[in-house]
Amino acid sequence: MNTLDTIRKDINSVDQQIVELMKQRFALSRQVADAKKGTGLPIHDPARERYILNQLCDQAGTEYATEIRMLYAKVFALSKARQRAHLNQGHELIDEIKDALQKSAQFPQRTLVACPGLEGAYTQLATTKFFPLPTILFFNNFEKVFEAVEQGLCPYGVLPVENTAAGSVIPVYDAMMQHKFHIVRSCRMRIDHVLLGKPGATLKDIQHVSSHPQALAQCTHFLKEHPSWSVTPSSNTAVAAKKLSEEGTVNQAVIASKECAELYGLTILADNLSDTTLNYTRFICISRNLEIFDNARKLSLMLELPHTPGSLSDLLDRFAVLDMNLTKLESRPIPGRDFQFLFTFDFEASPKDPKTLLLLEELASDPQITHFTFLGAYDEN
């Protein structure tokens, strides 16, 4: 009976042979790319892949067919990636990124910024975290912020995208699909919800509570403690606070920031309302033009994949093989399309790294990716 050391030596020997054979296979794959060059033949040939997989599975036998199928699906994905990289002759996106990097300057301290809501809204507080001395134009909803930036009314806009307790801000992701913009910075900010009421009101007086749906979703435990209260969604936490100040009664309250208490003359009836003490919201700062500032270490993409088995897995393999860490994967259904989805990816990488640029060039040039948008490269704090 072989000892463990003997078996491991045999495995090492097999692995060395596999590496040499894989080197030969990748070299042959490159020759295939050269042979296809100028012929108009696609890199992806699903019929041939199915044929080869069936042959290999037959050769492997019943015991190993599944493992061989999984292994060669990865081999095909890597081979196609190398072929695309070999055939790519440049892409305008890479030129735009390099141009933005050359123009890189310090992030502005003072500028005009589009922001949803009113003074005291969490997005307004995030705006002052991005810009120490901003001039803020407030808008009624997220859509208007995108429009203000896209149309050049404001050079920058600030929007919430996700919360640690309530998840993604779905209306923002939906609006992303409809507008042209670039992310230039992001930040995480701790959210401290309080319950605000009219001066003289007490917790026992409250019968009705209003706030933004995200804030309500972050305070479910507190609201369950008061099952008799009616809950009404509002477009914005600060808008709800201002309305309570101007039109409300002592039996009404809002969930908003502590800053809203002083701004709108309201009383804090309860604090620490969040379901979790680690309640953070991530905000993005967007611009109309592609701007890449110093220390950009995160990139965001939006793309549509073919509705076929393995398409998402193949894409994820491209990030994994380059040792890139995906920090966000969001999918949203495409309106008017039958179960087709648009994916948003956030991943950690430097836009100055040649392998990052090669990946972006490959994705932007891949005919299997029917929609590709580079959302930006930015720093997050």
Side-chain angles (χ1 to χ4, degrees), residues 62-281:
T62 304
E63 183 177 0
Y64 301 113
T66 299
E67 288 82 356
I68 291 297
R69 183 179 183 85
M70 293 174 63
L71 173 62
Y72 270 86
K74 302 300 182 186
V75 171
F76 291 161
L78 293 173
S79 295
K80 288 182 288 187
R82 292 184 66 85
Q83 287 186 42
R84 292 189 186 99
H86 177 58
L87 292 179
N88 282 347
Q89 301 298 317
H91 193 279
E92 60 182 8
L93 171 62
I94 307 306
D95 294 333
E96 292 173 5
I97 292 174
K98 290 180 177 179
D99 185 56
L101 286 168
Q102 289 181 349
K103 295 178 180 177
S104 174
Q106 293 295 317
F107 195 73
Q109 301 290 298
R110 302 174 62 183
T111 189
L112 183 63
V113 186
C115 178
L118 294 172
E119 288 288 340
Y122 292 108
T123 308
Q124 177 264 309
L125 301 177
T127 298
T128 56
K129 187 174 181 179
F130 284 122
F131 306 96
L133 294 171
T135 299
I136 301 176
L137 286 185
F138 290 103
F139 294 87
N140 293 334
N141 53 52
F142 302 139
E143 189 83 21
K144 294 297 183 182
V145 173
F146 279 106
E147 291 176 0
V149 173
E150 187 176 27
Q151 295 170 9
L153 178 61
C154 296
Y156 299 101
V158 175
L159 295 152
V161 288
E162 60 182 322
N163 176 265
T164 52
S168 298
V169 184
I170 299 303
V172 172
Y173 277 96
D174 286 342
M176 282 183 179
M177 300 164 60
Q178 308 300 325
H179 297 280
K180 293 182 179 180
F181 67 96
H182 293 91
I183 302 173
V184 296
R185 183 156 289 189
S186 69
C187 74
R188 296 171 73 250
M189 188 175 75
R190 183 166 182 166
I191 304 299
D192 295 315
H193 293 303
V194 297
L195 186 72
L196 302 178
K198 298 282 286 187
T202 67
L203 199 59
K204 293 181 180 180
D205 297 323
I206 303 306
Q207 298 177 8
H208 311 283
V209 176
S210 178
S211 192
H212 188 275
Q214 274 277 327
L216 295 172
Q218 294 163 29
C219 303
T220 56
H221 296 165
F222 174 75
L223 293 173
K224 285 180 180 178
E225 294 173 0
H226 304 276
S228 64
W229 292 357
S230 65
V231 178
T232 305
S234 173
S235 63
N236 184 270
T237 54
V239 169
K242 187 173 187 292
K243 184 177 180 180
L244 174 63
S245 174
E246 296 174 348
E247 306 172 11
T249 61
V250 292
N251 66 355
Q252 296 176 314
V254 299
I255 294 175
S257 67
K258 293 179 180 179
E259 286 77 4
C260 283
E262 182 177 352
L263 283 167
Y264 302 112
L266 299 173
T267 300
I268 298 177
L269 303 179
D271 57 11
N272 299 320
L273 306 188
S274 300
D275 293 342
T276 172
T277 55
L278 298 176
N279 186 18
Y280 286 86
T281 293

Side-chain angles (χ1 to χ4, degrees), residues 8 46 130 152 188 285 374:
R8 285 176 170 170
F130 284 122
R188 296 171 73 250
C285 178
F374 177 68

